[in-house]
């Protein structure tokens, strides 16, 4: 892929992802400014439960659809696996909602429906990028985000009903899911032997193959869930140690880590096809050079985030949320320090995905999650919200060290095997 094409695709992916992240962040802003802390906490708790499970069900489809250059698994088999896993997760969440009383059933229902729409759209967006329809993907996500922002603002100004606002958020996602599905059908008509259709997706052969696919990439699913728990695990522990209001406050602050990650993930998604091609061509030097450049971008973005948090953390937290959250500027500094480290090695994780080194990546993230869990147990009791952020920092340091120690040897093994095989 020429540098100009990579830059164009990175820009389009960045625009789309930033617009989606902005609309999701706006939900937190609107809740923090217009509703009470308990409602914010309940919403955060619902997201903290559903998001890791739906990521577990995704088996990183947005990457696999791209890196599976020769269609080892067919498009309809990826689609079937996505839908089947979503169904299983939904049943599990329904049982959790019925058994526990930590949140309202209606709230978890709205969030689950939104996740259905969002994850299917992600599958569609992945295929668009595979066939180089980056512009179509960008237009869809950007339009969805702008309409979401406008609709949520309108509902909030005309009604004080919390659930109405969330239903609006969900309905807009559903509308664009239909649009994305139609576009994928049109693209598959011209790019594939058979266009994607319901009969193909739900055929007996697709069901059987999708089960094999999920079995093969189970490690990827675990890695994704572990990665998501990096953001959501502190919310759980804060809820049970300090209360749901404190968990909501921490989630709004830690979202800045996610926001910066949007830029990182956009670069990652755009660079993945090029990393795959460099591996296929056995160009180890160019492969490592691209990874180093990407990590350098991560360093720059991370440092910028820490500086902004240090100089204007209280001002921005008060501006975007409220004065109660603004009092926790020190939490933001620790969160952005953790983000700065994470933004470096996340690109190494991208290179692992392009080389299909999923198991070692999962082990690294699992060790980091264990470190975070015990750090949270120790630090939240003594330092409150700051302790949760410090636990994030400890986990990122651990993961960074493991990636630094293992990566050189992993690259050497993979490229030696490739050369031998050729």
């Amino acid at each position: 892929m020429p540098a100009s094409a990579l830059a164009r695709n990175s820009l389009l992916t960045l625009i789309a992802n930033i617009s989606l992240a902005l609309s999701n962040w706006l939900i937190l802003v609107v809740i923090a400014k217009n509703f009470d802390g308990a409602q914010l906490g309940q919403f955060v708790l619902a997201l903290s439960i559903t998001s890791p499970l739906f990521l577990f069900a995704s088996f990183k489809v947005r990457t696999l659809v791209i890196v599976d250059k020769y269609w080892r698994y067919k498009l309809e088999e990826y689609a079937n696996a996505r839908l089947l896993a979503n169904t299983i997760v939904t049943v599990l969440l329904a049982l959790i909602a019925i058994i526990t009383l930590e949140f309202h059933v209606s709230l978890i229902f709205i969030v689950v429906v939104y996740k259905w729409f969002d994850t299917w759209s992600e599958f569609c967006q992945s295929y668009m990028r595979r066939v180089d329809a980056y512009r179509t993907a960008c237009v869809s996500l950007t339009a969805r985000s702008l309409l979401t922002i406008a609709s949520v603002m309108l509902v909030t100004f005309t009604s004080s009903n919390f659930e109405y606002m969330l239903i609006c958020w969900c309905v807009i996602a559903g509308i664009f899911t239909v649009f994305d599905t139609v576009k994928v059908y049109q693209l598959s008509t011209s790019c594939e032997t058979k266009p994607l259709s319901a009969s193909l997706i739900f055929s007996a052969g697709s069901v059987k193959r999708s089960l094999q696919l999920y079995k093969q990439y189970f490690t990827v699913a675990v890695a994704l869930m572990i990665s998501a728990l990096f953001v959501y695990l502190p919310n759980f522990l804060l809820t049970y140690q300090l209360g749901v209001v404190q968990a909501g406050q921490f989630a709004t602050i830690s979202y800045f880590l996610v926001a910066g990650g949007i830029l990182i993930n956009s670069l990652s998604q755009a660079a993945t096809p090029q990393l795959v091609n460099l591996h296929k061509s056995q160009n180890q030097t160019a492969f490592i050079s691209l990874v180093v450049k990407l990590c350098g971008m991560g360093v720059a973005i991370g440092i910028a985030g820490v500086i902004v948090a240090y100089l204007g953390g209280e001002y921005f937290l008060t501006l975007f949320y409220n004065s109660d959250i603004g009092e926790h500027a020190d939490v933001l500094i620790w969160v952005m320090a953790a983000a700065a480290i994470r933004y470096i090695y996340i690109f190494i994780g991208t290179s692992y995905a392009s080389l299909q080194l999923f198991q070692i990546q999962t082990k690294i993230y699992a060790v980091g999650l264990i470190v975070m869990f015990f750090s949270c147990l120790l630090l939240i009791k003594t330092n409150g919200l700051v302790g949760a952020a410090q636990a994030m920092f400890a986990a990122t340091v651990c993961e960074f060290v493991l990636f630094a120690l293992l990566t050189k040897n992993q690259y050497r093994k993979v490229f030696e095997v490739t050369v031998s095989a050729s």
Side-chain angles (χ1 to χ4, degrees):
M1 181 187 294
S4 58
L6 176 60
R8 181 200 68 214
N9 293 342
S10 297
L11 179 60
L12 290 170
T13 305
L14 175 61
I15 292 171
N17 288 346
I18 285 180
S19 63
L20 181 61
L22 183 62
S23 66
N24 288 336
W25 174 60
L26 179 67
I27 301 295
L28 295 177
V29 174
V30 169
I31 296 173
K33 284 189 172 294
N34 297 279
F35 301 96
D36 60 43
Q39 288 172 311
L40 174 63
Q42 290 285 349
F43 179 66
V44 166
L45 186 59
L47 285 177
S48 298
I49 292 173
T50 57
S51 296
L53 288 174
F54 272 96
L55 276 172
F56 176 78
S58 76
F59 58 89
K60 209 168 187 177
V61 65
R62 69 184 183 191
T63 299
L64 295 179
V65 168
I66 294 173
V67 301
D68 189 359
K69 285 290 184 180
Y70 303 110
W71 284 130
R72 181 178 180 185
Y73 292 94
K74 298 177 182 179
L75 180 61
E76 61 267 22
E77 292 164 357
Y78 281 111
N80 185 281
R82 170 79 270 187
L83 295 173
L84 179 61
N86 273 8
T87 302
I88 294 171
V89 167
T90 301
V91 172
L92 178 61
L93 286 167
L95 293 175
I96 293 174
I98 293 171
I99 293 172
T100 69
L101 299 175
E102 296 296 333
F103 44 80
H104 298 291
V105 174
S106 60
L107 177 58
I108 196 70
F109 176 78
I110 293 171
V111 174
V112 166
V113 172
Y114 173 83
K115 286 294 182 182
W116 263 90
F117 292 145
D118 188 55
T119 53
W120 181 256
S121 283
E122 182 186 55
F123 167 77
C124 295
Q125 296 273 328
S126 300
Y127 181 72
M128 292 177 197
R129 293 188 179 102
R130 177 190 171 94
V131 297
D132 205 30
Y134 280 83
R135 189 178 301 278
T136 303
C138 178
V139 169
S140 173
L141 268 182
T142 304
R144 167 184 161 185
S145 303
L146 292 175
L147 188 56
T148 298
I149 293 171
S151 301
V152 165
M153 295 295 287
L154 179 62
V155 171
T156 302
F157 286 137
T158 58
S159 171
S160 59
N161 190 295
F162 180 54
E163 290 188 354
Y164 284 175
M165 184 202 68
L166 294 181
I167 290 171
C168 175
W169 171 61
C170 186
V171 168
I172 298 301
I175 292 171
F176 279 89
T177 298
V178 174
F179 172 82
D180 289 341
T181 303
V182 172
K183 294 304 295 184
V184 165
Y185 172 78
Q186 293 173 345
L187 289 168
S188 66
T189 299
S190 58
C191 298
E192 310 301 331
T193 305
K194 295 180 180 179
L196 187 66
S197 64
S199 60
L200 284 177
I201 293 174
F202 298 109
S203 66
S206 289
V207 173
K208 182 179 179 180
R209 287 282 291 166
S210 69
L211 292 173
Q212 294 174 0
L213 187 154
Y214 205 80
K215 180 180 179 180
Q216 178 176 351
Y217 291 110
F218 181 79
T219 303
V220 180
V222 174
L224 274 175
M225 186 170 68
I226 290 173
S227 180
L229 285 172
F230 178 87
V231 176
Y232 295 111
L233 180 62
N235 299 337
F236 286 120
L237 297 177
L238 281 166
T239 297
Y240 290 105
Q241 293 190 57
L242 300 181
V244 71
V245 173
Q246 286 75 14
Q249 290 177 336
F250 184 81
T252 58
I253 297 170
S254 63
Y255 192 83
F256 285 98
L257 179 151
V258 179
I262 298 300
L263 177 56
I264 300 296
N265 287 328
S266 299
L267 293 169
S268 171
Q269 289 173 33
T272 297
Q274 186 173 3
L275 289 169
V276 172
N277 290 332
L278 289 173
H279 175 224
K280 285 175 59 180
S281 64
Q282 303 170 23
N283 194 338
Q284 182 178 4
T285 301
F287 183 95
I288 294 175
S289 176
L290 178 56
V291 173
V292 170
K293 290 177 182 177
L294 292 169
C295 290
M297 294 179 189
V299 171
I301 295 168
I303 292 175
V306 173
I307 292 173
V308 171
Y310 181 78
L311 296 178
E314 183 177 358
Y315 170 78
F316 287 117
L317 289 177
T318 303
L319 175 66
F320 293 134
Y321 301 121
N322 54 51
S323 57
D324 290 339
I325 296 176
E327 295 175 357
H328 299 292
D330 49 349
V331 177
L332 180 61
I333 295 172
W334 277 104
V335 166
M336 295 314 296
I341 298 174
R342 189 171 175 84
Y343 294 165
I344 300 172
Y345 64 74
I346 200 168
F347 289 115
I348 302 177
T350 300
S351 73
Y352 278 30
S354 68
L355 300 174
Q356 300 200 22
L357 296 173
F358 298 118
Q359 290 189 357
I360 185 67
Q361 187 178 9
T362 302
K363 292 176 182 177
I364 291 173
Y365 288 145
V367 172
L369 188 66
I370 292 171
V371 170
M372 177 185 285
F373 176 79
F374 286 105
S375 297
C376 279
L377 291 181
L378 295 173
L379 295 172
I380 288 176
K381 289 182 179 179
T382 56
N383 299 338
L385 270 64
V386 172
Q390 290 170 336
M392 276 187 164
F393 182 79
T396 57
V397 170
C398 173
E399 292 175 359
F400 176 79
V401 170
L402 290 174
F403 272 114
L405 292 174
L406 297 173
T407 296
K408 182 178 180 180
N409 190 47
Q410 291 298 320
Y411 284 172
R412 181 181 58 80
K413 286 181 179 179
V414 169
F415 280 96
E416 281 182 357
V417 169
T418 304
V419 171
S420 301
S422 62

